[in-house]
Amino acid sequence: MAEYANIIVDIFNEKLDKTFQYRIPEAMKEKLTLGMQVYVPFGKRNIKGYVVELTDEPEFEVAKIKEIIGIVTDSVPIESQLIALAGWMKKNYGATMNHALKTVIPIKKKSNAVEHKSVRLKLTEIEAKSELAEFERKHQKARVRLLSALIENPQMDQSMITQKLNVSGTVIRALETMGIVEVVSERSYRNPVSHLDSKGYHLTLNEEQQSVVDAIERNLDQKIAKTYLIKGVTGSGKTEVYMELIAHMLAQGKQAIVLIPEIALTFQTVMRFYNRFGDRVSIMNSRLSPGERFDQFERAKNGDVDIMIGPRSALFTPFSKLGLIIIDEEHESSYKSETLPRYHARETAIERARMCGASVVLGSATPSVESYYKAKTGEYELLELKHRVAEKPLPKVEVVDLREELKAGNRSILSVQLQELMEDRLKKGQQMMLFINRRGVAGFVSCRACGHVLKCPHCDVSLSQHVTRQHPEGKMVCHYCGYEIPMPKTCPACGSRYISGFKAGTQKIEMIVKERFPQARVLRMDMDTTRNKEGYEQILSAFANQEADILIGTQMIVKGHDFPNVTLVGVLAADLSLYVSDYHAAERTFQLLTQAAGRAGRGSEPGEVVIQTYRPDHYSVQTAKEQDYEAFYEQEMEYRRMLLYPPVWNMLVILCASKQEQTAYDSAKLLVQETDAWQENIKAAMERVGEDFKKKRVFPVGPADPAVAKVNDIYKKVIYIKTKDYQTLVELKDRLEHYMRDNRAFKDTVVQFDFNPMSGF
């Protein structure tokens, strides 16, 4: 049992790393847990604080450490649960408690607060008129204007008084001092969905949707908390199922969180929920200002909203009556954080739900292999929607072999078949979407004479070409450190003029489409065209209102959007996601192709999809063509079993980063040696008691270079560790953290842990 507790006394302070250590009384040692609110002596007074860490290590002289007074028992604030969740994240994903706290608790900044001030008359009408007469006698015109207005309207906005009546704050304060008026301040919360106009909700569930809802509601009514996976084909109406479940929870006085993978989905998703639930809905995303984000947390905490929609950060909404967490498009890699702590929203949501007795609903047309595996093995309950709403057929999918196009003399990025179909849709007044998993103009620039590729001098990556208004001839940019140079006219290696980029980005496609179809109205949607706050909403709204014929974009256009007039989807380069150095490559390709195909034919007209690829025979392309998830899953699982990848096994990736390459390597080598020593100790201990060591056995690989071995002059080395049991990796991580804590060999090395990574370091 821990001897000491580290306690935060102001949880909303910008510097969350400021903790104070207290001794745990003997009688409290078995009761005290992470997140608990306690009374502690602080200076000359006793105040409340939160336990953020339990430890046996004193941080200063033991005799000077004060003792905790008692545990707060009258209430359990939502912050306690969130702190406990932060502790779980620290334990399971490898980070400091400070990192975890800053992830789950919104930081309050004084500048964020918006106050609404009004001035109220404190006197009776007779008393006020008497004072007014005195002001008139003394020719105090400003006071006369203010008091005359307040006699007619006893409470007025201070801004109206200062602007319309031209009365200064000094005059208001003078009357306040005299006891004639009082200034009333109220906190005003910003509402990011206040501009929306509800159109009402008129949909009725079909038999298949109702069957799924009934299965979940039966358990909800019996207080049985579970994790469900809804596998529903694109267009099967998963969102309507979510809303029906939320309505059921709201009727019981509960609250709900809806996670979506992309900010781009927010507009359409919020409109659906707003039409049904009105002002009880709010949103959370990175496009909101810090003040707006904090206000949404405060509105949730105060009970002003019951439904929060947003990407993974919305998971930490401080709902005190949380009953349901929904994760839409649960297969998306954006649910895994790429910054410390490297948590996965799916597992973290399940843990938060466990803490408060809530249920979790995962939904996808193409579930992650991990989730489907858990559903198959009974950890999740699997529910299926096998048909589109109103029995609309799935789109017809054609695969075009780009190698054959080249042989036939077509050098355009648009295949002959796709061009013919686009011409047909334009004549019919129907819309289409063109998808490529790349933005900008070019991925890299190379010399056709000698093959030299322009690289960043600080990072182990190629520079990317960008054409802007400020740089019409182009510039070269490093996407890792920001290094920039003008676009060279000759090769720096051989002097050749034949230097250019691989031009297959959204910008280039937009130029090609406009040249080929000058009559078409074209919109482009990628990170470059959606930089401003309303960028997503404006583009999606314009396309939904049929103000454009063709929408060209990156991944953000193919995920979850519903445009009834879209009858054609073109996937221009299916291979771009197939050969990245990541064991998820085939899975992501299948998901992207299936999701892209799912955008077509959602209205009254049937849909058609053209997938352009150099590998038409690859199983991820073939199964996406047939919309056959089961066939893809079986082939992918064979690959995962053979190579000991998740979800059959678990993986821990350890990054060692340093300004000196040798230092990074030496640090990684020490961690491998410590892993081997730890494993030998475990093996010996288990053999002594006759237990099977196989479950605990780990297989370290490395140190090795990651895909990008140097960024901004920082060298990286990685270690890969595989084992069947996840908790074994957690125990190993704890051991390595303890080993590094007092080892000076790591003073110039940054070490990070990532469990079951979605992408490399």
Side-chain angles (χ1 to χ4, degrees):
M1 287 181 287
E3 294 290 325
Y4 307 99
N6 290 330
I7 291 169
I8 281 182
V9 295
D10 182 2
I11 200 164
F12 295 116
N13 191 287
E14 196 171 346
K15 294 184 177 178
L16 276 178
D17 52 348
K18 183 62 177 173
T19 60
F20 300 89
Q21 194 169 74
Y22 291 85
R23 186 187 300 107
I24 304 171
E26 200 64 39
M28 222 180 280
K29 284 183 178 177
E30 291 187 7
K31 299 177 185 176
L32 205 64
T33 58
L34 211 61
M36 272 190 173
Q37 197 175 23
V38 293
Y39 293 108
V40 292
F42 196 81
K44 295 182 179 180
R45 55 201 177 104
N46 296 332
I47 62 172
K48 292 178 182 179
Y50 294 89
V51 178
V52 296
E53 190 174 14
L54 298 170
T55 178
D56 288 318
E57 299 178 14
E59 293 182 354
F60 52 95
E61 194 178 331
V62 174
K64 293 182 179 179
I65 300 179
K66 296 179 181 178
E67 201 170 71
I68 295 172
I69 297 169
I71 297 172
V72 179
T73 56
D74 54 345
S75 66
V76 182
I78 185 60
E79 286 84 5
S80 293
Q81 185 191 105
L82 292 175
I83 290 169
L85 186 63
W88 179 88
M89 290 165 65
K90 171 187 178 294
K91 176 78 173 172
N92 283 273
Y93 295 109
T96 65
M97 191 62 183
N98 185 31
H99 280 129
L101 283 170
K102 285 183 176 178
T103 301
V104 305
I105 303 289
I107 309 301
K108 185 175 184 179
K109 296 181 180 178
K110 291 178 182 177
S111 60
N112 287 343
V114 175
E115 285 196 338
H116 175 260
K117 290 187 176 183
S118 59
V119 179
R120 187 170 67 84
L121 183 63
K122 291 180 69 177
L123 306 180
T124 64
E125 187 176 347
I126 295 172
E127 291 170 334
K129 286 181 176 178
S130 172
E131 293 290 347
L132 178 62
E134 183 64 17
F135 293 153
E136 288 172 338
R137 187 182 68 79
K138 294 180 178 179
H139 302 291
Q140 294 173 322
K141 294 180 181 179
R143 296 185 183 191
V144 168
R145 286 198 303 276
L146 174 55
L147 198 50
S148 297
L150 286 172
I151 288 171
E152 286 188 24
N153 186 0
Q155 186 159 335
M156 299 176 66
D157 284 351
Q158 183 166 310
S159 59
M160 182 179 287
I161 292 170
T162 55
Q163 294 167 20
K164 301 288 186 184
L165 300 181
N166 196 25
V167 173
S168 69
T170 306
V171 173
I172 296 171
R173 285 192 294 275
L175 266 64
E176 190 176 22
T177 303
M178 295 169 68
I180 296 173
V181 302
E182 68 176 346
V183 178
V184 180
S185 294
E186 292 180 355
R187 173 72 190 271
S188 178
Y189 294 107
R190 286 153 284 203
N191 181 359
V193 297
S194 59
H195 65 288
L196 298 181
D197 181 28
S198 175
K199 296 179 176 63
Y201 183 79
H202 313 290
L203 295 175
T204 304
L205 299 186
N206 62 28
E207 186 177 336
E208 195 174 42
Q209 290 170 316
Q210 191 63 54
S211 175
V212 169
V213 168
D214 290 344
I216 297 174
E217 286 184 353
R218 275 194 297 272
N219 287 332
L220 293 176
D221 290 342
Q222 295 175 45
K223 310 298 183 198
I224 299 172
K226 298 180 73 173
T227 298
Y228 304 89
L229 174 62
I230 300 177
K231 177 174 169 283
V233 298
T234 55
S236 59
K238 291 184 289 293
T239 302
E240 281 70 40
V241 170
Y242 303 154
M243 289 196 287
E244 197 66 29
L245 293 171
I246 289 171
H248 188 79
M249 295 309 296
L250 262 57
Q252 297 179 7
K254 297 286 188 177
Q255 298 157 317
I257 293 170
V258 181
L259 300 188
I260 52 178
E262 298 276 354
I263 296 171
L265 278 177
T266 304
F267 172 66
Q268 264 200 342
T269 307
V270 171
M271 275 312 306
R272 290 185 183 182
F273 282 84
Y274 194 81
N275 284 339
R276 179 156 188 181
F277 300 109
D279 290 334
R280 305 311 296 173
V281 175
S282 189
I283 61 171
M284 183 73 62
N285 63 49
S286 60
R287 294 298 170 106
L288 301 181
S289 69
E292 285 176 317
R293 286 202 299 273
F294 184 78
D295 278 3
Q296 302 329 297
F297 276 95
E298 287 293 286
R299 293 177 71 217
K301 190 176 171 184
N302 296 340
D304 296 336
V305 294
D306 297 311
I307 304 165
M308 186 64 75
I309 302 172
R312 62 175 185 264
S313 60
L315 176 59
F316 309 112
T317 301
F319 281 143
S320 58
K321 298 177 182 176
L322 184 61
L324 187 65
I325 301 173
I326 292 169
I327 305 182
D328 193 27
E329 309 292 357
E330 68 83 29
H331 62 275
E332 282 295 333
S333 60
S334 59
Y335 285 126
K336 179 74 185 287
S337 172
E338 293 185 357
T339 57
L340 292 175
R342 291 174 175 264
Y343 71 95
H344 198 297
R346 181 177 59 234
E347 273 68 49
T348 310
I350 291 169
E351 176 61 18
R352 181 169 184 195
R354 186 198 64 77
M355 289 177 170
C356 59
S359 289
V360 177
V361 174
L362 312 172
S364 176
T366 55
S368 64
V369 170
E370 287 80 5
S371 290
Y372 200 61
Y373 178 79
K374 289 183 178 180
K376 286 278 194 180
T377 55
E379 191 172 335
Y380 302 161
E381 182 171 328
L382 179 64
L383 300 164
E384 296 193 65
L385 295 169
K386 297 181 179 180
H387 305 93
R388 282 186 157 187
V389 172
E391 297 296 326
K392 292 170 188 168
L394 287 168
K396 176 187 174 185
V397 182
E398 295 289 336
V399 175
V400 173
D401 188 341
L402 290 176
R403 295 170 299 184
E404 296 300 319
E405 289 285 312
L406 201 59
K407 286 179 186 176
N410 179 22
R411 297 184 179 276
S412 170
I413 198 165
L414 303 175
S415 64
V416 172
Q417 184 178 356
L418 182 57
Q419 290 183 50
E420 290 173 352
L421 290 171
M422 290 173 72
E423 196 78 64
D424 174 70
R425 295 314 191 267
L426 287 170
K427 287 176 183 175
K428 292 177 179 176
Q430 297 171 358
Q431 292 175 294
M432 63 204 90
M433 299 168 78
L434 300 180
F435 160 64
I436 188 166
N437 192 15
R438 186 189 292 270
R439 69 180 176 90
V441 172
F444 58 88
V445 170
S446 63
C447 174
R448 294 183 183 180
C450 72
H452 176 74
V453 175
L454 294 180
K455 286 195 168 188
C456 174
H458 308 290
C459 308
D460 188 23
V461 293
S462 59
L463 295 171
S464 295
Q465 182 186 8
H466 285 259
V467 177
T468 64
R469 288 178 183 174
Q470 294 80 15
H471 301 84
E473 294 183 2
K475 63 177 180 176
M476 304 302 297
V477 180
C478 174
H479 286 169
Y480 284 82
C481 72
Y483 174 81
E484 289 185 14
I485 57 169
M487 176 67 188
K489 291 182 170 56
T490 59
C491 174
C494 72
S496 167
R497 292 183 291 109
Y498 298 103
I499 183 166
S500 62
F502 173 71
K503 297 182 178 178
T506 48
Q507 245 177 294
K508 182 64 177 178
I509 292 164
E510 182 183 22
M511 291 161 55
I512 292 169
V513 169
K514 284 180 175 179
E515 188 177 322
R516 173 65 179 80
F517 304 101
Q519 77 276 30
R521 298 167 298 166
V522 182
L523 280 172
R524 174 165 61 93
M525 187 169 176
D526 55 25
M527 287 299 292
D528 295 324
T529 61
T530 56
R531 290 192 187 280
N532 65 18
K533 193 173 178 181
E534 281 82 32
Y536 293 100
E537 191 170 321
Q538 289 167 355
I539 294 171
L540 290 174
S541 182
F543 194 64
N545 294 333
Q546 299 186 29
E547 295 170 21
D549 306 303
I550 304 170
L551 177 61
I552 299 167
T554 51
Q555 293 187 30
M556 61 180 72
I557 72 167
V558 301
K559 298 171 182 176
H561 301 303
D562 192 344
F563 300 112
N565 199 41
V566 171
T567 60
L568 174 65
V569 170
V571 182
L572 302 184
D575 310 302
L576 285 178
S577 58
L578 197 53
Y579 296 112
V580 295
S581 55
D582 183 351
Y583 69 88
H584 295 94
E587 179 183 4
R588 288 195 185 134
T589 300
F590 172 80
Q591 289 165 344
L592 278 170
L593 296 181
T594 306
Q595 293 285 336
R599 298 316 107 206
R602 298 170 79 97
S604 56
E605 297 294 324
E608 213 164 337
V609 181
V610 175
I611 296 175
Q612 300 183 167
T613 175
Y614 289 98
R615 281 293 308 274
D617 56 334
H618 194 279
Y619 69 91
S620 66
V621 176
Q622 283 299 316
T623 51
K625 176 189 175 184
E626 301 300 326
Q627 304 274 290
D628 190 343
Y629 179 87
E630 292 287 343
F632 167 77
Y633 174 80
E634 290 303 325
Q635 291 187 66
E636 181 67 11
M637 282 300 292
E638 283 301 312
Y639 159 69
R640 302 281 180 99
R641 287 188 187 98
M642 186 170 60
L643 296 176
L644 308 182
Y645 281 131
V648 186
W649 282 52
N650 289 282
M651 182 189 293
L652 172 63
V653 182
I654 307 172
L655 166 75
C656 294
S658 177
K659 291 181 179 179
Q660 302 297 323
E661 185 174 14
Q662 190 62 44
T663 302
Y665 178 83
D666 291 344
S667 297
K669 194 69 179 172
L670 284 173
L671 293 180
V672 172
Q673 291 169 2
E674 182 64 15
T675 298
D676 290 338
W678 173 81
Q679 183 161 226
E680 284 302 315
N681 291 337
I682 294 287
K683 182 180 180 181
M686 294 184 75
E687 286 177 350
R688 280 197 298 270
V689 294
E691 289 186 20
D692 186 4
F693 174 60
K694 285 183 181 178
K695 183 182 175 183
K696 290 278 189 180
R697 188 176 180 188
V698 301
F699 296 88
V701 177
D705 285 339
V708 181
K710 184 174 76 164
V711 173
N712 206 10
D713 294 325
I714 300 295
Y715 293 89
K716 299 178 177 181
K717 300 295 176 184
V718 291
I719 307 160
Y720 301 91
I721 302 175
K722 297 178 184 178
T723 187
K724 270 188 170 292
D725 181 50
Y726 187 94
Q727 282 306 310
T728 297
L729 293 179
V730 174
E731 291 169 21
L732 174 59
K733 181 267 301 178
D734 290 345
R735 169 65 179 257
L736 295 179
E737 282 182 331
H738 187 79
Y739 170 70
M740 291 185 294
R741 198 172 298 147
D742 302 316
N743 192 329
R744 290 190 57 79
F746 293 90
K747 66 182 178 66
D748 295 323
T749 307
V750 173
V751 178
Q752 294 183 18
F753 299 92
D754 192 7
F755 291 82
N756 291 337
M758 299 293 285
S759 57
F761 278 108

